[in-house]
Amino acid sequence: DERLIEFSNRRSYGGRLQTFPAAHRAHPNLGVEFRFVGGVYDAGGTRTNRAEAEAVVQELARRLLDDDACAANRSIGVVTFSEAQQTLVQDLLDEAVDRDARLRERIAEAEKAGEPVFVKNLENVQGDERATMLFSICYGRDASGTMYHNFGPLNLSGGERRLNVAVTRAREKIVLITSIRAGDLDPAKCNSKGAQDLRDYLAFAEHGTVPASRDEGRANREIDVSAVE
């Protein structure tokens, strides 16, 4: 599905990639899905977002337990935007596996098939690919409603490259689980390129269009249709 690479094509590759449309214009297991859960970021304590972690584990279990054994339900990876959130998701998944023998069997089957379920964060997801990728943004408003603009690795130099690597790990489907929308982020406080791209990726996932970046002034390059033919 072209939506899986569209954002990175525009932001990281200058629109140079030529992609082929999917056979399906719309399919529940293709493309990018925005899922707002409205969780609370425990900024002053665990630095986790429990609502998002629970939503990730529920979606993971739902897909693995679905009788439809398509790739999107059997080849799954999770990426969190912080190490603390990665640990929480893994702990909740371990608890779910301990409670449910069928879920334990499905996870074992995925590993036997050569694509084990993984839970990683932005710092250590690199060459991993899965049919379905579940993302937990983690960051957001705390219990008092204060919005923090500290996005961990994304605020560091090269944070935009970490985001690019993460959002290009899915072969078929991305489910973005978040407690914030693009409008929650103040552009004046998104000083790093990684934070700016996160804001725009949230908008893309929710609305389906890539916002024009500050340095994106040139027109889209025309495709030589005769060469494609």
Side-chain angles (χ1 to χ4, degrees):
D1 191 289
E2 291 179 295
R3 290 168 294 179
L4 296 173
I5 197 64
E6 182 177 356
F7 185 87
S8 290
N9 191 15
R10 287 274 297 276
R11 287 303 164 83
S12 299
Y13 307 120
R16 296 187 302 273
L17 304 182
Q18 295 185 13
T19 56
F20 292 88
H24 300 276
R25 290 189 62 85
H27 190 282
N29 280 333
L30 291 178
V32 180
E33 178 182 343
F34 181 90
R35 192 172 299 179
F36 182 81
V37 298
V40 173
Y41 175 49
D42 186 15
T46 63
R47 295 189 298 175
T48 62
N49 187 320
R50 190 172 185 88
E52 286 189 21
E54 291 174 346
V56 166
V57 173
Q58 288 171 4
E59 177 66 11
L60 179 56
R62 183 191 70 79
R63 287 183 173 276
L64 287 172
L65 294 173
D66 195 319
D67 290 333
D68 182 358
C70 63
N73 290 337
R74 296 294 182 267
S75 170
I76 307 174
V78 176
V79 174
T80 68
F81 281 45
S82 77
E83 188 175 348
Q85 187 73 353
Q86 174 194 5
T87 300
L88 178 58
V89 170
Q90 187 65 64
D91 289 346
L92 293 179
L93 178 58
D94 291 343
E95 292 173 8
V97 169
D98 289 341
R99 292 192 305 266
D100 192 327
R102 286 183 62 234
L103 181 58
R104 189 160 56 248
E105 290 174 4
R106 291 291 167 82
I107 287 183
E109 290 171 4
E111 184 166 7
K112 187 177 179 180
E115 296 213 324
V117 173
F118 68 78
V119 180
K120 297 192 175 185
N121 63 62
L122 280 178
E123 299 278 44
N124 56 25
V125 61
Q126 290 296 326
D128 308 279
E129 284 188 354
R130 294 295 183 269
T132 297
M133 293 297 302
L134 310 179
F135 289 94
S136 172
I137 300 296
C138 179
Y139 304 105
R141 299 185 185 278
D142 65 10
S144 67
T146 301
M147 178 66 208
Y148 294 89
H149 286 71
N150 178 15
F151 304 112
L154 292 182
N155 285 108
L156 303 176
S157 176
E160 72 278 9
R161 292 194 294 273
R162 292 180 174 90
L163 181 65
N164 175 53
V165 168
V167 301
T168 53
R169 299 302 91 200
R171 293 193 294 264
E172 298 179 11
K173 178 76 172 181
I174 286 177
V175 181
L176 185 69
I177 295 174
T178 177
S179 301
I180 52 176
R181 292 184 163 92
D184 293 321
L185 305 188
D186 183 350
K189 295 181 179 179
C190 295
N191 298 316
S192 69
K193 183 68 164 61
Q196 294 164 14
D197 279 2
L198 172 62
R199 184 176 188 271
D200 290 345
Y201 190 76
L202 287 167
F204 165 70
E206 183 170 14
H207 304 296
T209 56
V210 181
S213 67
R214 299 176 186 181
D215 56 356
E216 191 175 3
R218 65 182 183 278
N220 291 335
R221 184 169 65 92
E222 292 186 6
I223 296 176
D224 183 356
V225 179
S226 63
V228 175
E229 290 175 333

